[in-house]
Amino acid sequence: MDINPIIAPLNDAQREAVTAPSQAMLVLAGAGSGKTRVLVHRIVWQIQVNDVSPQSILAVTFTNKAANEMRGRIETLVENNASAMWIGTFHGIAHRLLRRHAEQAGLQKNFQVLDSNDQQRLIKRLLTDLNIDEKELPVKEIQWFINEQKDAGLRCKDLLETTDNNTRRFLQIYREYEIRCERSSSVDFAELLLRVYELLRDNESLRTQYQERFSQIHVDEFQDTNHIQYAWLTLLSPNRDNMFVVGDDDQAIYGWRGAKIENIYKFQQHYPNHKVIKLEQNYRSTSTILKAANKIIANNQGRIGKSLWTEMTEGEKISVYAAYDEVDEAKYVVERIRNWVAAGNKRSDVAILYRSNAQSRQFEEQLMLTQTPYRVYGGLRFFDRAEIKNALAYLRLLETPDDNVSFDRVINTPTRGIGLKTMDELRQCAAEQQVSLWMAATLLLTQQRLPNRAANALVSFLHLLEQFERKTVGLSLSEKVHFVIEHSGLMAFYNQDKVEKSAEKVENLKELVNAAESFKYRADEEENASELSAFLSRASLESGESQGDEFDDCVQLMTLHTAKGLEFRVVFLVGMEEDLFPAQQSKSNAGRLEEERRLCYVGITRAMEKLYLSHAEKRFLYGRETSSSKSRFLGELPKELLEEIRPKREVSRPITAKSPTFSTFKLPPEIQSEGKYKKGQHVSHEIFGKGIIGNVEGEGKTERVFVKFREDSRWLLTAYTELTIL
């Protein structure tokens, strides 16, 4: 019997999904199982075999790249013009609907869409008008709060009044934000989705029109939908058998940004006559890699359940490397990559995957040392990241106060009340007198040319720079970096920021201290430059080196979240240690721990031919060495699948390799301890919070205390650290 060419290239499960009669369907598509192919061929089948009009097709996905790829593949296969189909992202489809029905949605026809930066600027103006200090309520935190409410389908009027003062201010700002957006007919990204939901919910005739128009609804990456996305999808398909969704509960890794894995389970309840088809045949990875992935994910509870398999060969065992430390780990990885390339293979077929962006620095350093081209996929090189540039700018001012670029960058970072008008006067004075901004600030203050509030803010900043110079005398390079990061307010600023990327920025700042600790200063090669100056020069040079673009033959570096949807012949999954992966903050929450395990599953299934896993026995974190235990995920892998490159019993740091700790820090002679700390005292630290002193050792400049904080325990030198006795 002749097979229809539309389904000829498909396997049995894929054919079943593509040719199934119109009904509510959940296609559970495992990693590398061809889900996009199934979606594309399903739409083509509906048009060419079932005579469904292209105008009746709605296909929704998450990225413009995915939407364009889907449209292009459909247009290649379909005989009719596919332009009548609605294929796009959730936000793109919502925008299209609002443009068509702006008046019914309560908008002007020429309404404006605010991107993330526009939204932040509006909130910033609003705070100024309400006389609210950004230090108390950061702009990004407010933005996060507003978007979170909208993603949950909540207007300000829907939120209950509260006695909590902080929450009340959030509600006040949200209310005023809504008023200003309405007044200017502006919508942010979250508003696009919420406004369409309300439009369909509150307008029965319009809702019926689109329910009848879209007889076939297709949704990609269904496990990544949030509350409001699911809500307006079900409005378009109420209790009907026309929803075809493709997803994978084992690859739900975006809970931290609002995605609801529960939507897959709700779908099955919402559409009781649904059918589940599992795509389990993998076309990407070897049998060994898939067995490892299946074993890992089987430890999660409440899965719908599936098991990946392949007709490919068994392949090589998974190599597990137990490194001495993070430098040894990076050297091992880069050495293996160089061997791979020397054998005639492409660099771009190799990926280094890590849990946290801060981990990239050691690998970048080793790749640069060996002149191996690389690209940080979906992100910036370490020294190009904004928080790192901010810290380096403070350090440059410590070295050269007349550095105008650095002065301009951090004078109000974090916000310290130095406004645009003051900056304009500073620049004008500097130009007139032909002096630096630092000197201009001194002149303006001496001549009393600034209002009291602006003058006080500027004085505080200059005093801060003076404090840096005075209190870092005699400190080592890493101590200077540590001191400046903490006392500039950068660490506190990012620690209090509750938005998505703040924890990552904190980790990057800590890693900068590690970079300073590992910096090798050679006075005879630095042309009389100080150690700090040499370090800053290296940072500038590394930042200035152009990153390989998308089409260069480069090693790919990326976070595990960024890697989703990609595949590589060789994958290095690094930093497989407790508190790093799984992340420390996830270990006490069962749901978040399961998401970490799904993230590990995603990482493993990126590998096609060869998978390396690595962990370090010791790792420097924020300038101090910590012992590491290997990740529980490594313990969940069958031993017969693994090849131990360096068994744990053989791993030990050479006795001569002494690593500096806080107790070995050189302190400036003028700083003296008062010997006032005693065991059992309750103290507070501006970064680590409240804690109890568990032990006290030494005296004078060498006195240190062991403090048990809520989240951590650590030794601190009392001459170097400011602790408040409670």
Side-chain angles (χ1 to χ4, degrees):
M1 183 177 69
D2 292 337
I3 298 177
N4 188 302
I6 296 173
I7 60 172
L10 309 181
N11 64 36
D12 290 344
Q14 292 171 336
R15 289 175 185 175
E16 182 184 4
V18 167
T19 62
S22 182
Q23 65 183 114
M25 288 186 62
L26 168 59
V27 178
L28 204 63
S33 63
K35 68 176 180 62
T36 305
R37 169 180 280 193
V38 166
L39 265 174
V40 167
H41 285 257
R42 170 72 174 183
I43 292 172
V44 174
W45 182 269
Q46 294 282 26
I47 295 172
Q48 293 195 341
V49 177
N50 293 339
D51 293 324
V52 173
S53 168
Q55 294 186 15
S56 300
I57 301 288
L58 173 65
V60 192
T61 186
F62 277 85
T63 67
N64 287 314
K65 180 180 178 182
N68 291 334
E69 180 186 353
M70 191 185 301
R71 177 180 292 279
R73 290 169 66 172
I74 291 171
E75 290 179 341
T76 299
L77 293 170
V78 78
E79 295 174 358
N80 301 320
N81 186 354
S83 61
M85 290 183 289
W86 282 39
I87 301 175
T89 64
F90 278 95
H91 290 96
I93 297 294
H95 178 257
R96 187 171 178 178
L97 284 167
L98 290 181
R99 286 294 178 197
R100 284 194 167 198
H101 307 285
E103 188 174 341
Q104 290 163 287
L107 296 168
Q108 297 175 14
K109 288 185 177 181
N110 61 342
F111 70 85
Q112 299 298 310
V113 178
L114 303 176
D115 64 20
S116 182
N117 290 331
D118 294 331
Q119 187 183 26
Q120 288 177 24
R121 281 192 287 271
L122 175 56
I123 294 171
K124 192 178 181 74
R125 288 198 300 271
L126 196 155
L127 289 179
T128 301
D129 293 346
L130 293 176
N131 200 28
I132 295 175
D133 191 344
E134 281 186 52
K135 291 180 182 178
E136 297 179 28
L137 291 180
V139 170
K140 288 185 178 179
E141 194 170 324
I142 296 167
Q143 181 185 38
W144 175 82
F145 174 83
I146 291 173
N147 292 343
E148 184 184 42
Q149 307 314 311
K150 291 187 178 186
D151 286 344
L154 300 172
R155 296 284 183 197
C156 193
K157 62 181 176 58
D158 301 319
L159 298 170
L160 297 175
E161 288 295 331
T162 175
T163 56
D164 180 73
N165 189 53
N166 210 43
T167 307
R168 288 176 66 182
R169 290 203 293 175
F170 273 122
L171 293 176
Q172 175 195 10
I173 295 167
Y174 186 17
R175 187 177 297 110
E176 182 64 26
Y177 177 83
E178 284 187 322
I179 292 171
R180 297 197 182 193
C181 285
E182 287 290 337
R183 191 182 298 153
S184 62
S185 197
S186 301
V187 297
D188 54 50
F189 286 163
E191 180 73 17
L192 286 170
L193 302 177
L194 178 55
R195 186 73 64 137
V196 163
Y197 169 72
E198 293 171 339
L199 175 68
L200 296 171
R201 181 196 64 189
D202 301 337
N203 194 316
E204 184 178 358
S205 62
L206 190 67
R207 183 171 68 248
T208 301
Q209 173 188 333
Y210 282 102
Q211 286 172 352
E212 292 175 351
R213 170 170 184 160
F214 296 130
S215 63
Q216 301 297 324
I217 299 175
H218 307 77
V219 187
D220 192 13
E221 302 286 11
F222 190 70
Q223 78 281 349
D224 294 336
T225 54
N226 64 20
H227 172 84
I228 201 68
Q229 289 163 343
Y230 181 85
W232 66 258
L233 280 172
T234 52
L235 278 178
L236 286 173
S237 178
N239 305 313
R240 290 175 60 187
D241 294 331
N242 68 336
M243 187 91 82
F244 185 95
V245 304
V246 181
D248 184 3
D249 56 336
D250 290 336
Q251 295 190 76
I253 59 173
Y254 296 118
W256 48 275
R257 70 181 189 195
K260 302 289 185 185
I261 188 175
E262 298 85 357
N263 287 347
I264 282 186
Y265 313 131
K266 284 170 64 177
F267 176 87
Q268 297 178 86
Q269 298 168 357
H270 198 106
Y271 301 96
N273 297 322
H274 76 281
K275 182 176 183 178
V276 176
I277 295 177
K278 299 178 182 180
L279 304 183
E280 298 174 295
Q281 183 175 0
N282 176 282
Y283 292 91
R284 173 187 299 156
S285 308
T286 66
S287 176
T288 295
I289 291 169
L290 295 183
K291 287 176 184 176
N294 288 334
K295 192 66 176 178
I296 285 276
I297 203 64
N299 290 281
N300 274 2
Q301 304 298 312
R303 300 169 58 232
I304 299 175
K306 65 180 181 312
S307 183
L308 297 178
W309 62 275
T310 183
E311 292 180 346
M312 295 175 65
T313 61
E314 185 174 335
E316 295 185 48
K317 286 189 174 184
I318 297 168
S319 297
V320 179
Y321 183 69
Y324 295 126
D325 55 24
E326 68 275 21
V327 177
D328 181 32
E329 179 186 45
K331 286 182 176 179
Y332 169 80
V333 169
V334 174
E335 179 188 4
R336 288 297 179 275
I337 293 172
R338 285 168 60 79
N339 290 343
W340 162 267
V341 174
N345 298 300
K346 294 173 63 178
R347 300 182 192 90
S348 55
D349 285 334
V350 181
I352 303 173
L353 310 183
Y354 35 77
R355 179 63 180 86
S356 165
N357 255 316
Q359 292 171 257
S360 78
R361 187 189 65 83
Q362 286 290 352
F363 299 97
E364 290 186 59
E365 186 170 296
Q366 292 302 320
L367 288 164
M368 280 187 285
L369 284 172
T370 57
Q371 297 184 320
T372 305
Y374 73 92
R375 175 175 178 248
V376 180
Y377 188 96
L380 296 171
R381 288 188 177 214
F382 182 79
F383 286 110
D384 287 334
R385 295 165 190 164
E387 62 277 11
I388 298 301
K389 283 185 171 292
N390 289 338
L392 292 174
Y394 276 110
L395 290 165
R396 288 192 176 94
L397 290 175
L398 178 60
E399 188 77 2
T400 312
D402 289 322
D403 183 340
N404 280 352
V405 174
S406 296
F407 192 95
D408 202 13
R409 182 180 184 95
V410 298
I411 187 171
N412 213 31
T413 304
T415 305
R416 48 177 56 90
I418 299 173
L420 294 176
K421 186 175 180 181
T422 302
M423 287 306 303
D424 286 342
E425 291 195 46
L426 265 178
R427 295 186 186 103
Q428 184 177 348
C429 177
E432 290 173 353
Q433 302 296 322
Q434 295 187 328
V435 296
S436 67
L437 290 174
W438 175 64
M439 284 299 299
T442 304
L443 287 172
L444 288 177
L445 291 170
T446 302
Q447 298 168 8
Q448 298 183 340
R449 290 166 54 182
L450 296 173
N452 287 341
R453 184 175 178 180
N456 289 336
L458 194 55
V459 165
S460 295
F461 179 63
L462 295 183
H463 280 174
L464 179 67
L465 298 183
E466 183 273 333
Q467 181 190 44
F468 287 169
E469 183 179 16
R470 179 167 49 85
K471 290 194 174 184
T472 58
V473 173
L475 295 185
S476 70
L477 177 62
S478 63
E479 292 170 321
K480 287 180 180 178
V481 175
H482 183 177
F483 186 92
V484 168
I485 286 175
E486 292 233 5
H487 291 81
S488 64
L490 286 176
M491 186 63 78
F493 172 70
Y494 292 121
N495 259 317
Q496 73 179 6
D497 199 351
K498 296 180 181 178
V499 297
E500 176 184 315
K501 297 291 185 180
S502 57
E504 184 178 294
K505 294 177 187 296
V506 169
E507 291 302 315
N508 287 338
L509 288 174
K510 291 178 180 179
E511 184 58 26
L512 185 61
V513 179
N514 296 341
E517 182 65 56
S518 62
F519 177 65
K520 298 295 188 293
Y521 174 64
R522 296 178 177 84
D524 58 332
E525 297 179 7
E526 298 297 345
E527 301 294 337
N528 299 317
S530 67
E531 186 178 23
L532 175 57
S533 180
F535 176 71
L536 293 170
S537 295
R538 192 195 75 171
S540 295
L541 291 170
E542 291 191 9
S543 175
E545 290 183 11
S546 59
Q547 187 171 187
D549 66 32
E550 188 174 357
F551 305 104
D552 287 344
D553 184 22
C554 301
V555 176
Q556 307 294 303
L557 278 69
M558 68 193 73
T559 64
L560 284 156
H561 284 100
T562 304
K564 186 170 180 289
L566 303 176
E567 59 184 35
F568 304 91
R569 290 177 65 189
V570 179
V571 166
F572 293 86
L573 211 171
V574 301
M576 297 287 288
E577 300 146 33
E578 288 291 299
D579 296 338
L580 192 56
F581 189 39
Q584 183 179 27
Q585 61 269 29
S586 303
K587 291 168 60 176
S588 60
N589 182 298
R592 292 175 69 176
L593 182 58
E594 291 209 342
E595 183 160 316
E596 291 282 300
R597 186 174 284 108
R598 292 194 291 270
L599 194 56
C600 184
Y601 172 85
V602 166
I604 290 173
T605 54
R606 298 312 94 193
M608 302 168 69
E609 300 173 18
K610 178 64 179 178
L611 175 64
Y612 292 87
L613 306 174
S614 64
H615 62 96
E617 186 185 60
K618 298 179 184 295
R619 191 175 292 272
F620 266 94
L621 293 174
Y622 209 4
R624 66 190 183 103
E625 188 179 73
T626 60
S627 296
S628 305
S629 57
K630 66 180 182 180
S631 170
R632 68 189 66 194
F633 301 148
L634 287 174
E636 293 172 359
L637 292 171
K639 292 194 184 324
E640 63 270 17
L641 302 178
L642 308 180
E643 171 197 24
E644 297 279 351
I645 299 298
R646 183 179 293 175
K648 190 69 175 177
R649 64 178 179 274
E650 297 179 11
V651 177
S652 61
R653 179 180 294 277
I655 295 174
T656 56
K658 293 183 179 180
S659 300
T661 63
F662 279 122
S663 63
T664 65
F665 282 174
K666 299 174 183 176
L667 296 171
E670 70 274 18
I671 300 180
Q672 298 290 335
S673 167
E674 299 177 12
K676 59 184 177 181
Y677 299 106
K678 296 177 176 59
K679 186 176 179 179
Q681 281 181 327
H682 289 255
V683 294
S684 176
H685 186 277
E686 62 177 345
I687 300 300
F688 307 124
K690 295 180 180 178
I692 300 175
I693 296 178
N695 201 0
V696 182
E697 291 183 359
E699 60 183 14
K701 291 186 293 181
T702 63
E703 182 190 54
R704 64 176 189 161
V705 294
F706 182 74
V707 186
K708 299 176 182 177
F709 295 105
R710 291 177 181 174
E711 304 267 334
D712 192 10
S713 296
R714 61 181 67 211
W715 284 101
L716 300 170
L717 280 167
T718 58
Y720 180 64
T721 305
E722 295 182 10
L723 289 172
T724 302
I725 299 174
L726 302 177

